[in-house]
Amino acid sequence: MSTDSTHAGHDHHVAHHFRNAEHEYLTSKEGIWLFMVTEILMFGGLFVGYSIFHNIYPEMFAEGAKYLDWKMGFINTLVLIFSSLTMALGIYFLQKNQPKKAVVSLAITILCGAIFMVVKYFEYTHKFHLGIFPGRLLDVAKVGAEHANLGMYFGFYYCMTGLHGIHVLLGMSLITWVLFRTIRGDFNSNYYTAVEGVGIFWHIVDLIWIFLFPLLYLVG
Amino acid sequence: MGNNHDENHAHHITPLETYLKVAGALFALTFLTVIAHHFNNQLGVLAAPIAFLIATVKAVLVMLWFMHLKYDSVMNRVIFGAGFFFLALLLFFSGLDIWTRVAEFSTL
Amino acid sequence: MASAAAHSDKNYLNESSGLWSWLTTLDHKRIGIMYFIAVMFFFLLGGVMALLLRLELYSPGQTIMTADQYNQVMTYHGAIMVFMVIIPGIPAILGNFFLPLHIGAKDVAFPRLNLFSWYCLMAGALLAFSTLFTHKIDTGWTFYTPYSIKTGTSVVTMVIAAFIMGMSSILTGLNFIATVHKLRAPGMTMYRIPLFVWALYSTAILQVLATPVLGITLLLLSVERAFGVGIFDPALGGDPILFQHFFWFYSHPAVYIMILPAMGVVSELITAFSRKVIFGYTAIAYSSLGIAGVSFFVWGHHMFVSGQSTTAGVVFSFLTMLVGVPTAIKMFNWLATMYKGSVLMRSPMLYALGFLFLFAIGGVTGIMLAVVAVDVHFHDTYFVVAHFHYVMVGGTLMAIMGGFYYWFPKMFGKMYSESLARLSFVFIFIGFNVTFFPQFVLGAMGMPRRYFDYIPAYHSLNAISTVGSWLIAIGFLISLYVIVKGLISGEKAPANPWGAKTLEWTVPSPPPHHNFDVEPVITAGPYEYR
């Protein structure tokens, strides 16, 4: 039945088990949210672990935070928030049937992701240079750590920022994918489900960083 | 069929200026976090909760406007909210155990 | 049915052919069959391992394997049965096949994702099996720290495999929730969906909410092994019991991921073979959600003797007993359904009754173990082994078999030999009790679990238990024969051989590719018997 769509003049093919494009859109959206919950719970496990050990070893965590440069985290926060804005604008322009502007917004979003990763790269290499590695690899003598298990703090630091970084890269590739599809003309105000989904994913990446920044860089 | 339909076909479009305002608020709150950080010594034990509170406000802004949850179905909001609830549960029970144990911390 | 008869020669099985058409299929029914083939293979593997374990335990001392080999076989038996057999078992096979049919949909919400989750399970399974050729792991399926950090075996590979299989489970759950919410046929309200769908829906919630925490736990374990971060390592100021919290936050709900769909199958079987509308539809439906909800509050009962605080232990003990309430609601409603029904003792019904009997024992001993004081004595003895086998095998596996015999005619369009199916039930049921009942006694006598040796005083009961395992094996071999014979030379099945009322029986056997030629419109509940 529902191979044609209620919307006039768009070329997206509605899958056979949906009634119409709107039905497909709402279902996909729910699927996306269900997936986002799993992301929150997965990252959340790390946050729970962090809270517990932060409570047990507050001084050790404070010492760890001192080795981080809050300015780097600060710049990255601003970059990510800005990229979230451009991502939202990308969808906005598609809703308004302005694909060219949408392409520009998405491209800026990818660029911001790249800047974020470059800053991250410098942060990481700087730490490696100082002998700051996670866990038992941390060079206690070289760092001059006051707490013998400072490696745990950096275990959390590298796990959380590393997993987050993987998500940034994943998000960048997803945005690149919808960027090309936008250029190809797949999306318009009637059909932009994929962009919406990728957008929600990108905002999750931002959301997690919003918490990581104060937790890792500032609290101490 | 489902519980949340009959939403009309034209999706809600958030005005451009709302996005800009939300982004402005997010930038401002980020600066606020950093400013608060510089008064950590005066704030004492409140420093961490304040930083966390600001982050939560920022997160809510992102969720409601950037992620469009404000205009989304109740079901999707419940789904997303469930994640935070179950995290709280994990923290609560793990914490319940750890903080009621007979304390015997390592010397580290 | 006129239109159905017109295309009765075309169905989902012969609609296209060739291996490639199966490996790339988006049809939920074919994906269900693919899960069936895979899971059957895993079950065979896990089953052979169980037989080897029992053979080793036939007499004290070394019998057929060394202590190290015993630890490895035990680990793989557990990991295979949990991650590859009972977790995907009912949802991925029967759920995939019948969930869309039950709610009048043409497919699940995201067919590509559905296929992808099958490949995830396969990839995870292959990765898990690859460890058999490197350093076989010996941690038990629970990967408890600190041993899993220290042992020189392929823990990381296995853990990544479990992570990938977990992803498969998440995606199935996600798919089912969206399907139930969005793809119900016109008139199919939430209170008209069959109880099997309610059970799958509750299961799916658990899969989506619990499994990600397993994911991060396993990743942290890998990081711990690679970098010695110390989160779970007491020597570095970490907390090994925190690992258990994280692990059981997933794995206790996972226990209900295993049993809830089984309860759903049993609801279908009992109402269909009692020729009577189910008693207390709403109560059974909500008790599924209730069990799913409570499951997140009880995980600490796995940790009563781990060093968890007494306060937490008491809280968890109390909360655990709450599980008995929704479970009992289900039990009594099933009994009430049979009361004054015209109970038809066909083989699926026999399995359902077997389920009731065995699950009652498994459930009641579960309440016993929920009491801290009792558990301190029974913990890590064979009493616990017997308890969870009564629930997992006596419950879930019985339901899988019953459900499979019930839906076999629909899935393959063939009938099977009823008398042989009953014979197989007799062997499995008796064999099961012979195997596991003595283990309750052994546990009460203090025989610890996970050991490859025991004192001579435990010999006779262990020998009985081993003989029982052979009876179970014979039962499953008969079932395998029944299936193969039915597939090859079974009579053609009518659309509705049992006179059941749910929607899948209104379409031809086997169903056509798109399930329904005309979208059904639902005007009444699922069980309109009398």
Side-chain angles (χ1 to χ4, degrees):
Chain A
M1 47 169 276
S2 55
T3 43
D4 63 339
S5 130
T6 51
H7 295 293
H10 88 62
D11 40 11
H12 169 67
H13 176 79
V14 177
H16 75 94
H17 54 293
F18 294 111
R19 288 184 188 87
N20 50 45
E22 184 65 7
H23 189 201
E24 185 177 65
Y25 172 78
L26 291 175
T27 310
S28 307
K29 196 109 177 262
E30 183 168 315
I32 290 160
W33 280 113
L34 284 165
F35 183 72
M36 293 311 146
V37 169
T38 69
E39 288 284 349
I40 292 291
L41 281 159
M42 192 176 74
F43 263 102
L46 283 172
F47 280 102
V48 169
Y50 175 95
S51 328
I52 286 171
F53 285 105
H54 188 198
N55 254 286
I56 297 179
Y57 303 111
E59 287 92 20
M60 186 267 280
F61 273 66
E63 191 200 346
K66 269 187 243 153
Y67 294 97
L68 299 184
D69 186 355
W70 68 265
K71 290 184 195 93
M72 295 275 217
F74 177 64
I75 293 167
N76 261 351
T77 311
L78 297 181
V79 168
L80 267 197
I81 288 176
F82 185 69
S83 77
S84 251
L85 172 67
T86 53
M87 184 72 230
L89 291 183
I91 296 165
Y92 170 80
F93 288 128
L94 280 176
Q95 287 172 327
K96 291 275 183 188
N97 276 325
Q98 296 170 316
K100 286 212 177 92
K101 286 185 181 169
V103 167
V104 173
S105 304
L106 292 175
I108 296 174
T109 314
I110 299 170
L111 188 71
C112 288
I115 294 173
F116 180 91
M117 289 313 287
V118 169
V119 173
K120 208 75 264 164
Y121 170 81
F122 283 117
E123 270 194 275
Y124 271 28
T125 44
H126 179 62
K127 290 206 177 49
F128 294 157
H129 184 69
L130 295 177
I132 299 176
F133 293 100
R136 71 169 112 78
L137 304 180
L138 182 109
D139 194 334
V140 177
K142 191 172 170 189
V143 176
E146 295 159 30
H147 297 85
N149 63 342
L150 187 66
M152 186 196 276
Y153 173 84
F154 284 102
F156 275 114
Y157 169 78
Y158 283 110
C159 276
M160 292 169 118
T161 56
L163 194 61
H164 180 262
I166 291 170
H167 278 76
V168 172
L169 291 176
L170 215 66
M172 284 166 67
S173 19
L174 287 171
I175 299 169
T176 312
W177 170 62
V178 291
L179 175 75
F180 278 113
R181 287 189 63 186
T182 314
I183 294 173
R184 207 169 64 187
D186 283 4
F187 303 118
N188 53 44
S189 61
N190 288 324
Y191 174 69
Y192 54 91
T193 317
V195 195
E196 176 94 13
V198 169
I200 291 175
F201 181 82
W202 189 254
H203 297 311
I204 288 264
V205 171
D206 185 22
L207 205 67
I208 290 163
W209 186 258
I210 284 177
F211 284 101
L212 283 182
F213 172 56
L215 282 185
L216 290 173
Y217 290 78
L218 297 184
V219 169
Chain B
M1 50 149 296
N3 355 4
N4 39 14
H5 47 102
D6 296 331
E7 292 165 27
N8 59 41
H9 282 197
H11 301 144
H12 183 274
I13 301 178
T14 313
L16 190 61
E17 55 203 281
T18 312
Y19 282 130
L20 296 176
K21 274 184 205 156
V22 171
L26 288 171
F27 284 127
L29 285 166
T30 309
F31 279 99
L32 186 65
T33 317
V34 174
I35 293 166
H37 174 62
H38 285 288
F39 293 100
N40 259 3
N41 292 332
Q42 286 91 323
L43 290 170
V45 285
L46 286 176
I50 285 176
F52 193 76
L53 189 73
I54 297 174
T56 309
V57 173
K58 285 164 76 180
V60 169
L61 288 178
V62 170
M63 286 190 275
L64 288 185
W65 278 282
F66 283 177
M67 297 168 97
H68 304 148
L69 267 186
K70 188 168 159 51
Y71 305 103
D72 213 321
S73 65
V74 176
M75 182 52 80
N76 287 350
R77 274 182 256 169
V78 169
I79 288 172
F80 200 53
F84 297 97
F85 172 76
F86 283 94
L87 270 186
L89 208 64
L90 176 63
L91 178 63
F92 174 76
F93 279 114
S94 307
L96 176 72
D97 164 30
I98 287 168
W99 285 298
T100 55
R101 258 184 235 164
V102 179
E104 195 173 84
F105 289 118
S106 73
T107 48
L108 289 165
Chain C
M1 299 301 295
S3 62
H7 331 253
S8 59
D9 51 330
K10 274 284 178 204
N11 58 52
Y12 82 99
L13 287 169
N14 61 16
E15 176 257 349
S16 58
S17 62
L19 185 64
W20 189 244
S21 80
W22 279 82
L23 291 177
T24 57
T25 184
L26 299 180
D27 186 340
H28 67 100
K29 299 182 288 300
R30 283 192 164 196
I31 295 172
I33 300 288
M34 278 155 65
Y35 269 114
F36 169 64
I37 295 167
V39 170
M40 222 167 51
F41 173 75
F42 300 146
F43 179 64
L44 191 73
L45 220 62
V48 168
M49 285 173 179
L51 289 172
L52 291 175
L53 291 175
R54 274 321 316 168
L55 201 57
E56 167 56 41
L57 292 170
Y58 184 81
S59 57
Q62 184 167 331
T63 314
I64 58 161
M65 58 178 97
T66 63
D68 269 341
Q69 285 168 332
Y70 180 87
N71 288 342
Q72 292 159 358
V73 176
M74 180 201 77
T75 301
Y76 284 95
H77 165 70
I80 290 174
M81 287 303 199
V82 169
F83 291 118
M84 303 178 207
V85 180
I86 21 184
I87 287 184
I90 297 181
I93 303 172
L94 298 174
N96 248 323
F97 201 105
F98 290 105
L99 173 68
L101 283 163
H102 266 161
I103 61 172
K106 287 185 178 169
D107 208 322
V108 291
F110 311 113
R112 274 197 203 89
L113 208 60
N114 201 12
L115 183 65
F116 180 66
S117 67
W118 185 80
Y119 280 104
C120 278
L121 183 70
M122 291 305 105
L126 279 179
L127 201 59
F129 292 139
S130 76
T131 61
L132 283 169
F133 304 101
T134 55
H135 303 282
K136 300 181 190 64
I137 72 157
D138 58 353
T139 59
W141 76 277
T142 50
F143 312 115
Y144 270 11
T145 54
Y147 181 69
S148 58
I149 304 172
K150 308 284 178 200
T151 175
T153 55
S154 310
V155 173
V156 172
T157 318
M158 190 59 147
V159 149
I160 292 170
F163 181 89
I164 298 172
M165 290 188 280
M167 210 153 89
S168 160
S169 181
I170 289 178
L171 295 179
T172 304
L174 185 160
N175 223 332
F176 283 6
I177 294 180
T179 308
V180 172
H181 279 169
K182 299 290 188 188
L183 293 192
R184 281 172 279 128
M188 181 65 88
T189 64
M190 277 307 266
Y191 298 99
R192 285 177 181 167
I193 61 177
L195 288 166
F196 182 49
V197 177
W198 269 109
L200 287 172
Y201 177 64
S202 312
T203 309
I205 294 174
L206 295 180
Q207 286 174 304
V208 169
L209 291 177
T211 321
V213 177
L214 175 75
I216 198 65
T217 311
L218 297 180
L219 284 182
L220 280 176
L221 177 58
S222 306
V223 170
E224 194 73 60
R225 275 181 75 89
F227 303 118
V229 171
I231 298 169
F232 299 136
D233 189 346
L236 299 169
D239 187 351
I241 299 169
L242 188 68
F243 175 85
Q244 297 189 21
H245 279 298
F246 273 46
F247 180 81
W248 288 113
F249 180 85
Y250 162 73
S251 293
H252 193 75
V255 171
Y256 298 126
I257 292 175
M258 304 174 200
I259 195 67
L260 270 172
M263 292 169 158
V265 170
V266 168
S267 301
E268 295 299 318
L269 296 183
I270 286 185
T271 179
F273 289 97
S274 301
R275 289 283 171 276
K276 196 169 151 235
V277 63
I278 192 112
F279 186 88
Y281 172 91
T282 341
I284 297 184
Y286 281 144
S287 64
S288 289
L289 283 179
I291 291 175
V294 176
S295 76
F296 281 99
F297 296 79
V298 301
W299 78 78
H301 66 227
H302 294 269
M303 302 163 53
F304 286 151
V305 300
S306 68
Q308 174 184 243
S309 84
T310 317
T311 316
V314 169
V315 172
F316 278 126
S317 171
F318 171 74
L319 290 170
T320 301
M321 283 182 241
L322 290 182
V323 182
V325 177
T327 312
I329 289 175
K330 280 181 187 291
M331 279 294 215
F332 289 124
N333 278 308
W334 290 327
L335 293 177
T337 305
M338 283 189 284
Y339 177 69
K340 288 193 173 170
S342 326
V343 179
L344 195 63
M345 284 296 175
R346 304 299 294 266
S347 42
M349 187 61 174
L350 288 176
Y351 280 101
L353 294 177
F355 172 96
L356 291 188
F357 183 79
L358 301 178
F359 185 73
I361 296 177
V364 169
T365 49
I367 300 286
M368 290 169 69
L369 290 172
V371 181
V372 185
V374 177
D375 187 71
V376 168
H377 180 72
F378 281 139
H379 195 90
D380 271 346
T381 69
Y382 264 82
F383 194 89
V384 177
V385 177
H387 154 70
F388 72 73
H389 279 92
Y390 263 83
V391 179
M392 299 289 94
V393 186
T396 309
L397 218 54
M398 279 283 165
I400 292 185
M401 295 303 290
F404 189 68
Y405 280 122
Y406 177 58
W407 280 306
F408 183 90
K410 181 57 63 188
M411 289 167 89
F412 300 105
K414 300 275 180 77
M415 298 302 288
Y416 53 83
S417 160
E418 174 67 24
S419 51
L420 282 177
R422 285 182 197 192
L423 187 67
S424 130
F425 168 77
V426 171
F427 270 98
I428 295 175
F429 183 78
I430 294 177
F432 178 83
N433 283 297
V434 174
T435 309
F436 290 103
F437 203 83
Q439 295 186 3
F440 279 125
V441 185
L442 283 169
M445 287 162 74
M447 178 172 166
R449 66 191 277 208
R450 297 200 184 95
Y451 282 52
F452 112 116
D453 197 4
Y454 51 82
I455 53 172
Y458 300 144
H459 174 56
S460 50
L461 285 170
N462 267 298
I464 294 172
S465 179
T466 301
V467 172
S469 72
W470 301 337
L471 296 178
I472 302 179
I474 294 171
F476 277 111
L477 285 178
I478 297 173
S479 267
L480 186 65
Y481 176 74
V482 173
I483 292 169
V484 174
K485 186 161 170 280
L487 284 178
I488 294 171
S489 61
E491 285 171 46
K492 193 173 170 359
N496 190 358
W498 316 118
K501 301 285 185 187
T502 37
L503 272 184
E504 78 272 29
W505 303 107
T506 62
V507 299
S509 308
H513 178 54
H514 287 320
N515 296 353
F516 301 96
D517 288 322
V518 181
E519 187 174 37
V521 176
I522 283 74
T523 52
Y527 310 114
E528 295 294 308
Y529 295 98
R530 66 177 166 79

